[in-house]
Every structure is written in structure tokens, then in C-alpha cells.
Amino acid sequence: MALNRRIAYVDLSAGSVEVRDVPLELRRKYLGGRGMDAYLLYNHVEPGTDPLGPDNALVLSAGLLSGTPAPAGARCQISAKSPLTGLLGSANMGGFFGPELRYAGFDHIVIQGRAEKPVYLWVHNGSVEIRDADHLWGGDAVQTQTRLREELGDPDVKVACIGVAGENQVRFACVRTGIKNAAGRTGMGAVMGSKNLKAVAVRGTLPIRLADPEGALGYLEELVDYIQSSKYAEIMGKWGTLFIFDVTNSTGLIRTRNFQSNQMPHSEDLECEAMDRYTMGMAACFGCTMHCRHKYVLPEGRFRGQYGEGPEYTSQGAFGTEVGAASMLGVLEANQLVNLHGLDTLEVGSMIGWAMELHEKGLLPAELVGDLDLRWGNLDAVIRLIDDIAHRRGLGDVLAEGPKGAIERLGPETAYYNIHVKGMSNLHSDERPTPSLALNIATSTRGADHLRSRPAIDLYHLPPKVLERIYGKPGLSDDYRVYEGKPWMVVWQERLYALVDALGVCKFQSVFLSPNMPKAEEYARVLRLVTGLEFTPEELMEIGERVTTLERLFNLREGATRADDDLPERYFTEPTPEGLPAVRGKCIDRDRFEAMLDEYYDLHGWDREGRPTPETLARLGLDAEPTRLV
Amino acid sequence: MKILAVDEKRCTGCRLCELVCSVRHEGAADPARARIQIVKWEEEGVYLPMACRQCEDAPCAAVCPVNAIGRDPELGRVTTDHDLCIGCRACVSACPFGVLGFHEDRGKTFRCDLCHGDPTCVKFCETRALRYEEGDRVVAGRRRAAAARFRQAVAE
């Protein structure tokens, strides 16, 4: 059945593995994936733990629907205390690793301690072995997967691994699987590196029994038809997330040259159609009919002849607008390199864009810059810096510390120019004209982030009646420029995304970029047919709330306060210079922002310092945490 | 006669076909026992769905020592009589495509049965990399595409 996957505790210091069952009570409260990650992290990481020390726990969790025919049931979550922010570390990954983990008999792996020498985990049909990885150390994040498949003699082995960036504990190193999938954010690759853990290889042939196979097939056929009938599914299947660039840049909702403009002129070579020259078709993650990933072979340039996948909208920004360049080939080359090194593409681009602006303003010491030509648009410097960050050389070594650490090294006068929240860089988006999106990045549990509570459809000017149908509240404004009503939209999205991440299905197949995608109603039905667990849609949204609140508790326990739910100073002081008249000349108003934050806390049942009240904790069943039920 | 046609260029490698096949036949998400499986060259982005080709002169039938393997003329498929099957796996060895499976728990073989004329995998294949259509229509599309390229070349 779908609920019999187990949890493995691995202690790399002791070289021991212990396998336990997951109590049903925890499934009902947290489902799996990000939900169980939050529980396991809160229960197994003591406050004040050094993120790169042996006591930090790295938690890998497949979603509860991962590996089943639920639409896009591809995802898994990787969590730890973050070496980037010192708060919650948590990153979601597609591809094929999560499903394979479940076929191997596990839902969760909790890794603590530190191996004396490089090791990898071999997870196979109910067993977990710690194996020597000396020979794999130094390998890139694609080569490592190939070598492990050869070594284990099975081309269907799936691998999550780090590249050299993780080995060097770059604070925004990611965990990689496949050609481009990544648990990108908050530095989970650095935590792996700190544990001397090069990879986790999984392979399994254990069936996941469905509660109602026939009913599931019937309903899922309907659901796939519903998803694929959306125009958005067609666009994603053709362009992937690259299409978003065309929308946001033409509006003026993009961040360029770090934070100096919100629109990039002469950017045809970054637009989604520029990918036509390179794409050889689309690839999909596990069980996904949407297939949003380009396959390409680089026809020229530094990596001529190399096969790659992607890029995402994030890379168009990271190696396009952020650094003032407009070349799809440049984006693809940088995308290739970050994927091989195992770096968070978004954090890399933001750090380099910041360095370029600091250089422009004369705030970078000459000896650190050396012979690097940090002028806007210089992709040679971008490529070299990516390499230097991964290998921790010169300026790259400073940038490898992430926003907080690098500001500490370069001086407080550089802080103003870094666009981060809680120590994590923001997407290359500009939220000054959009209060709802601004509140989203200020309050996300893992720092500036667009994937935890973004009400992206707020930009669509949907009629209030439609908004009411989606968000379950009357009177929501159809104008993205106003502050009123936005906290509820952020809270609602927060719950939905936490739910989706706990289920292990893809956000792109929920209400994120299109209003016509599955919500809790549809997932309640899928859950019942697949697992036999009965939930009302309201109960599922409450699980989302519980997960977010527990993540909040983790951050509060590490010392976070209301002051951390803030925006970069520039959001309040510099009006947007470009874009459509509707978005030009906009700043976030401090008083109205604080009022939104108050309302956001109120909606949660938190006090005005952002601390959940005892009543709220009791209502969500969190008043006894940590309970250490497993 | 309809056949399960594969257009590998359209395959995105999502493996939903494996999933729904295994749910239909095993009641479980169980790609290892799916009757259709995607073989991948991941590092090159090449994916190829593989299933029983329902051979006219089937090597599996020829080697079966108990004559358990026959043909269903109505659906144009190769069938195994599991009451006769002794689980010797001779057919598994003989299959030139490696698309016969062996169910360890049951001690019996398994293969694509075309879902008795309504293949589940086809219903879920959004890109139409899998189709269930008349055999003589399968190559007609490719012929036309080739002709179009030829026509273009001639025009130039």
C-alpha cells in the first residue's frame, strides 16, 4: 500500500543505519515531503546547531503521492538547517529520484553525523548501505550519476548528488539529480558536502499498492484532460518557464543590472522564441504530461557539443537581466556550468549582479577584483565567476558565502545593494509595483522566495467573482497594485503550496501560474483513491497551514523575529524607473506594508511579533512539539 | 488490425505509461512490472518506449515447451495461457526485444495484452508518442512527412 514506506536514520559518524516505520498519526498531520521534512527537522535539529557541523540533519523526503500516477507526482523535498540563512533550509526537486526512493521502500532518509572519508548511500529495496566514495569526489554533478549507474550495474539507478560546489561547501550549493533537476535553494548541497556525502543512489522494484486502482485510473484520466485542456499547459509544454520572461519584461516586473531597472531593452535574444535555435524537444519529470523542460545540444561556444536541459526562467534572469546581458547562448552556457558544479542558479546570478553593481559604485576592493572585467553584460566574467565561486577562488570565495557572509566580508556599506530576505536572494523579479508579491517574499519561511506563497495570478486582473471562487473570500480586488485583501491571497497560496510540496506533486499543476489547475478539492480525491486516506479540502489546507506554522516555529527557535519578515531597503526608497505606466514610479509604502504584515499575522493567529499564539498551536496540534514520535 | 504504435521522437520520458499500465494490471504503481517500459539514454535525452511487438511468427511461442503461447487473431496479439504456463522463462530468454517480464511472486510471465483492445497507456500519452491504430496507417504519417521534406527539397 501507499502508506508502508519507511524512514531510515543514517548516522555517518557511527556508520550506522536504523530503519523505522512512520506512525499513521504523522501521515495524517503532515502527509509526506515538505510536511514530514518540517516535522523531522524540528524534532532532530537542536536550536543553535552549526548548519555545516555534524549535528545538522539532512532530511530527504518523497511526497506522499510521489511515484504514483497522481499528476506530476515527481517531487521530493530536501531539508536541513540552512548554511545560507541560519534558518529553515528546504528545497524541492523534480526528476525521478523521489519516486525511485519510494520504489526502494523509503519515504524519508534522515542523515546526521559526518563521515571520515567521502561516502555515498546505496538505497535498494529496503536496505541502506554506506559506501566508499573516494573515487567519486571531485566529479561533476552529471558525471557522478553516470559513474554510479555504471558502478552499480543498472542504468535505472537514480542519483541525488553534489558537484564541486557542494564539496567546497559553497553556501548556496544545491543537490542535483538528472541532467538539470535540482533541490536548488538554501544550500542543501553544502550540508551534504559538510557530511562528506557525495551522493545518494536509489533503485527499487517494490510496488506501491493503490487503494482503488480502477477508480484512480478513471479519475486521473479526467484530471489529466482538465490539466491539458488549459492554454497554460500548452504554453508550458512548448516554452517551459521561459515564456514568463516575455510577460514580466514587457510589463516591467523584472530586475535588471542587480536592482537598477525593472525592464531590459533590446532583449530579444532572451525571449522564449530565442530558444528555438537550440531546442531539440521537450522532456518531462516523472508522471508529468506538461513536459516543461527543453533538451538542447550547444551548437557553439565554450561547451560546444554538450547535451543539456533547461534553462528555466530563473536562469534567464540570473545570467541575463541581473548581469545586464541578453544572450540565450550565454544563458545556456552558464546554465550548463551551474548544473555541472551543482550551484543554485538564482543565488549565483544574484550574487554576481550584486558584485557588478558594487564594482560600478566603487565598493569592491581592487585586489579582490583582480583582472576580472565586471562591466555589465560581460559573460566572460560571469562564466569565470561561476567557476571561481564553485572552487572558492578570490572574489568567488567571498560570493560563495552568500548575502549575509559576503556583506560581512565586504562591509556594511554593501548591504543596501544586496537584494535578499533572511539571507537568501530574491528571484530576478521586481515586486515594488505588486504588494501581494512583496508580502510573499518578505514572509516566506525560507527567505526571499517565489515558490512558497506567491499569488502569481494576482497579476491577471481576474474579476472579483473569479477570485472569490478560487480564494474563498468575497471582495478581493482585481487590481494588483493595491494593498487591500492581499494578505489573504498570500496566506491561501502558502497553504496550497505547502500542501502540494507535502504531496510531492508539481506546483505547476496547482493554482500557481494558472487559475485553472487542481486545488485541494482535486487532491483530496486523488489522495483517497491512491492512499485510502480521507480528507476534506479544508483539512488538506489546514495541513498546509500546520506545515508552514511548524516551519515558522523552527525559524523562531533559531532567533528569527518580525524584523526578518522585511523587504530589502531599496523596495521602499527607489521608485521603479521603467515599465508600463501602471508599474512605473512605484515603491512599497512602509506603513501600508507593515499593515499588510499585521493582517498576515492576524490571519494566521500569530501575535504582532509573528509568534503563533498558544490557541493557534493547540488548534493545529503543534502545542506539544517536539514530540519525537519517530 | 490495430497495433500499439510508438513514435519515440514524441516521447518526453515521463513514464506515465508505465504507471498507468501497472495500475491497470497490478493494481499498483509498479514500473518494474509494467508491460510497457521506457528505455532511456538520459545523458543524450533519448527515450524509447518498449512493449511486446505481438510478432506474427513469435519466437516466444516457438520455444514454449508446453504450447502455452498462442495468437488471438481478433486483436492481433500474442497470448499466454497461464494455466498451461510452467514458468520456465524460455519465452523470456527467446524474446529478441526483451519485453517479456517474469512475475517472481506468481511464477508466471507477463506481457502487453493491449488492454483487450483499449490500451490504458495510449489514453494517458499526451504527446501521442503512443497510439493505437490500424497498422497500415502507422507509417502513412511518416511517409507523408518524408514526402513533404522531399517536396520542399525539390522546390528548392
Side-chain angles (χ1 to χ4, degrees):
Chain A
M1 59 183 287
L3 300 172
N4 63 356
R5 266 48 194 170
R6 308 180 77 193
I7 176 167
Y9 288 91
V10 179
D11 183 337
L12 293 176
S13 299
S16 64
V17 177
E18 193 190 330
V19 176
R20 293 182 212 154
D21 290 321
V22 183
L24 186 63
E25 181 189 344
L26 289 183
R27 289 268 174 256
R28 293 205 59 93
K29 283 177 86 167
Y30 299 102
L31 302 172
R34 182 174 148 200
M36 279 297 293
D37 260 25
Y39 179 83
L40 292 167
L41 206 60
Y42 195 77
N43 275 273
H44 292 286
V45 176
E46 293 294 323
T49 296
D50 173 7
L52 296 175
D55 293 336
N56 199 4
L58 183 80
V59 186
L60 282 74
S61 292
L64 196 55
L65 291 176
S66 188
T68 78
R75 319 284 306 186
C76 63
Q77 194 81 24
I78 303 183
S79 305
K81 182 173 170 182
S82 167
L84 186 66
T85 64
L87 301 171
L88 175 82
S90 176
N92 193 274
M93 180 167 86
F96 296 82
F97 180 86
E100 200 69 31
L101 182 62
R102 302 199 83 209
Y103 299 138
F106 294 95
D107 268 346
H108 316 284
I109 302 182
V110 180
I111 303 159
Q112 284 181 294
R114 172 188 280 146
E116 266 175 42
K117 293 196 317 175
V119 294
Y120 75 92
L121 297 185
W122 170 225
V123 184
H124 181 244
N125 283 354
S127 80
V128 179
E129 279 175 54
I130 304 169
R131 292 188 167 194
D132 182 69
D134 256 339
H135 57 299
L136 298 170
W137 207 253
D140 73 47
V142 171
Q143 185 182 70
T144 299
Q145 301 179 50
T146 309
R147 281 189 192 161
L148 274 168
R149 276 193 277 271
E150 284 167 8
E151 176 172 328
L152 294 162
D154 185 343
D156 292 324
V157 166
K158 307 295 176 221
V159 178
C161 68
I162 55 173
V164 294
E167 294 178 9
N168 293 326
Q169 299 178 36
V170 173
R171 285 178 188 267
F172 43 89
C174 61
V175 179
R176 292 262 294 99
T177 190
I179 303 301
K180 67 109 9 195
N181 289 101
R185 312 231 60 198
T186 66
M188 297 299 92
V191 177
M192 265 180 87
S194 75
K195 296 189 174 309
N196 261 325
L197 179 64
K198 180 66 178 174
V200 180
V202 297
R203 175 78 175 116
T205 54
L206 305 174
I208 301 171
R209 301 239 153 263
L210 265 56
D212 178 356
E214 207 174 310
L217 282 183
Y219 179 56
L220 290 172
E221 197 183 338
E222 246 176 68
L223 194 55
V224 166
D225 280 350
Y226 169 64
I227 290 164
Q228 290 303 135
S229 68
S230 159
K231 184 75 186 167
Y232 151 75
E234 187 187 322
I235 291 168
M236 282 289 272
K238 185 168 185 195
W239 303 115
T241 56
L242 296 178
F243 84 90
I244 305 170
F245 175 86
D246 298 32
V247 180
T248 53
N249 191 40
S250 58
T251 313
L253 292 170
I254 211 160
R255 180 154 66 112
T256 77
R257 289 179 287 119
N258 200 31
F259 196 70
Q260 303 194 62
S261 183
N262 56 320
Q263 195 169 47
M264 187 168 187
H266 314 299
S267 59
E268 291 74 17
D269 200 24
L270 282 180
E271 288 170 5
C272 61
E273 281 174 299
M275 193 60 201
D276 272 349
R277 290 200 304 279
Y278 307 100
T279 190
M280 47 185 265
M282 303 303 277
C285 291
F286 187 91
C288 178
T289 48
M290 211 177 260
H291 52 78
C292 68
R293 194 162 79 234
H294 285 280
K295 304 188 285 184
Y296 60 82
V297 174
L298 286 163
E300 55 194 306
R302 296 176 182 85
F303 305 111
R304 193 159 72 96
Q306 281 193 23
Y307 173 76
E309 292 175 5
E312 298 289 339
Y313 173 56
T314 16
S315 298
Q316 271 165 312
F319 310 118
T321 61
E322 296 268 39
V323 297
S327 156
M328 188 59 87
L329 181 64
V331 169
L332 291 174
E333 289 182 335
N335 180 59
Q336 198 74 1
L337 198 55
V338 295
N339 284 341
L340 294 175
H341 286 335
L343 283 163
D344 174 9
T345 187
L346 192 162
E347 204 70 45
V348 174
S350 290
M351 293 305 287
I352 295 176
W354 177 59
M356 284 177 159
E357 189 177 0
L358 292 182
H359 179 63
E360 187 181 53
K361 302 227 159 24
L363 291 170
L364 270 190
E367 68 273 16
L368 256 186
V369 178
D371 63 344
L372 268 171
D373 176 1
L374 288 175
R375 267 177 303 183
W376 296 112
N378 182 11
L379 285 165
D380 289 328
V382 170
I383 294 286
R384 207 180 110 190
L385 267 176
I386 294 171
D387 225 30
D388 286 351
I389 288 170
H391 292 95
R392 282 187 166 276
R393 292 187 291 245
L395 177 60
D397 183 40
V398 176
L399 300 180
E401 287 298 302
K404 281 182 177 171
I407 289 167
E408 212 166 281
R409 297 265 295 267
L410 296 173
E413 65 280 14
T414 64
Y416 177 80
Y417 300 101
N418 195 299
I419 306 303
H420 75 91
V421 176
K422 298 183 179 76
M424 187 167 94
S425 293
N426 190 31
L427 178 72
H428 55 281
S429 53
D430 193 329
E431 289 83 3
R432 282 173 289 184
T434 55
S436 66
L437 275 51
L439 182 65
N440 138 233
I441 63 164
T443 55
S444 153
T445 51
R446 64 172 181 179
D449 189 71
H450 58 290
L451 293 169
R452 297 236 144 172
S453 56
R454 202 172 196 83
I457 57 173
D458 190 21
L459 301 178
Y460 298 179
H461 288 294
L462 295 168
K465 275 223 161 2
V466 177
L467 289 173
E468 182 178 343
R469 220 161 42 231
I470 296 166
Y471 290 103
K473 254 204 174 90
L476 295 174
S477 168
D478 61 356
D479 188 341
Y480 62 73
R481 293 166 295 183
V482 308
Y483 290 70
E484 289 72 32
K486 302 308 177 190
W488 171 251
M489 293 170 82
V490 171
V491 167
W492 187 89
Q493 296 283 178
E494 192 178 80
R495 292 174 187 170
L496 180 70
Y497 295 159
L499 165 66
V500 163
D501 287 341
L503 293 173
V505 296
C506 185
K507 227 158 264 154
F508 289 153
Q509 298 198 6
S510 71
V511 176
F512 175 17
L513 296 174
S514 163
N516 300 313
M517 284 287 130
K519 301 190 286 292
E521 285 74 8
E522 286 81 3
Y523 287 122
R525 198 163 160 192
V526 175
L527 256 179
R528 178 167 55 77
L529 294 165
V530 171
T531 68
L533 290 177
E534 300 267 0
F535 292 101
T536 63
E538 293 74 27
E539 286 169 333
L540 286 183
M541 291 299 268
E542 190 182 60
I543 290 176
E545 184 186 0
R546 182 178 299 119
V547 172
T548 310
T549 307
L550 189 53
E551 291 176 349
R552 178 91 191 169
L553 290 179
F554 183 90
N555 285 344
L556 293 173
R557 200 171 65 174
E558 296 293 344
T561 65
R562 178 181 177 122
D564 292 292
D565 294 335
D566 204 359
L567 294 166
E569 190 58 24
R570 297 172 96 171
Y571 278 68
F572 301 105
T573 56
E574 297 179 24
T576 46
E578 301 290 341
L580 299 178
V583 307
R584 197 181 305 160
K586 299 285 182 202
C587 270
I588 293 293
D589 179 89
R590 172 55 85 178
D591 292 339
R592 291 158 94 186
F593 171 77
E594 295 296 337
M596 275 204 305
L597 193 57
D598 285 344
E599 188 182 339
Y600 169 86
Y601 289 165
D602 292 347
L603 288 166
H604 278 279
W606 300 349
D607 67 20
R608 290 292 168 90
E609 291 305 309
R611 293 173 304 222
T613 62
E615 298 76 44
T616 300
L617 292 180
R619 176 173 62 80
L620 294 172
L622 291 172
D623 43 343
E625 291 306 335
T627 49
R628 298 207 72 150
L629 293 179
V630 69
Chain B
M1 190 70 69
K2 282 185 169 181
I3 64 168
L4 181 68
V6 174
D7 183 349
E8 69 282 354
K9 285 192 188 67
R10 290 168 175 261
C11 178
T12 63
C14 78
R15 300 175 59 193
L16 189 54
C17 54
E18 298 180 16
L19 281 174
V20 295
C21 173
S22 65
V23 170
R24 162 102 191 219
H25 292 94
E26 301 287 334
D30 188 7
R33 286 160 199 89
R35 277 63 172 163
I36 183 164
Q37 293 185 347
I38 300 179
V39 174
K40 292 193 180 187
W41 287 264
E42 192 179 299
E43 291 86 349
E44 299 164 63
V46 176
Y47 320 128
L48 185 50
M50 297 285 285
C52 174
R53 303 185 70 90
Q54 320 290 357
C55 304
E56 294 289 342
D57 181 9
C60 55
V63 297
C64 181
V66 293
N67 288 326
I69 300 178
R71 251 195 109 66
D72 168 1
E74 201 185 322
L75 285 174
R77 60 180 176 171
V78 179
T79 58
T80 301
D81 183 337
H82 287 294
D83 291 333
L84 296 177
C85 172
I86 55 172
C88 72
R89 311 192 208 200
C91 55
V92 177
S93 306
C95 175
F97 298 99
V99 290
L100 264 71
F102 189 77
H103 211 301
E104 305 262 348
D105 299 345
R106 290 177 210 149
K108 305 284 184 192
T109 59
F110 59 84
R111 79 168 82 223
C112 171
D113 62 0
L114 299 173
C115 293
H116 313 294
D118 186 18
T120 309
C121 55
V122 170
K123 288 192 221 174
F124 280 85
C125 186
E126 191 273 332
T127 62
R128 293 179 50 78
L130 301 175
R131 294 192 308 280
Y132 188 56
E133 57 187 19
E134 293 297 330
D136 57 2
R137 293 296 309 154
V138 171
V139 291
R142 267 180 231 177
R143 185 160 61 234
R144 195 162 187 87
R149 285 194 298 276
F150 185 63
R151 185 183 165 194
Q152 181 99 26
V154 170
E156 282 164 6

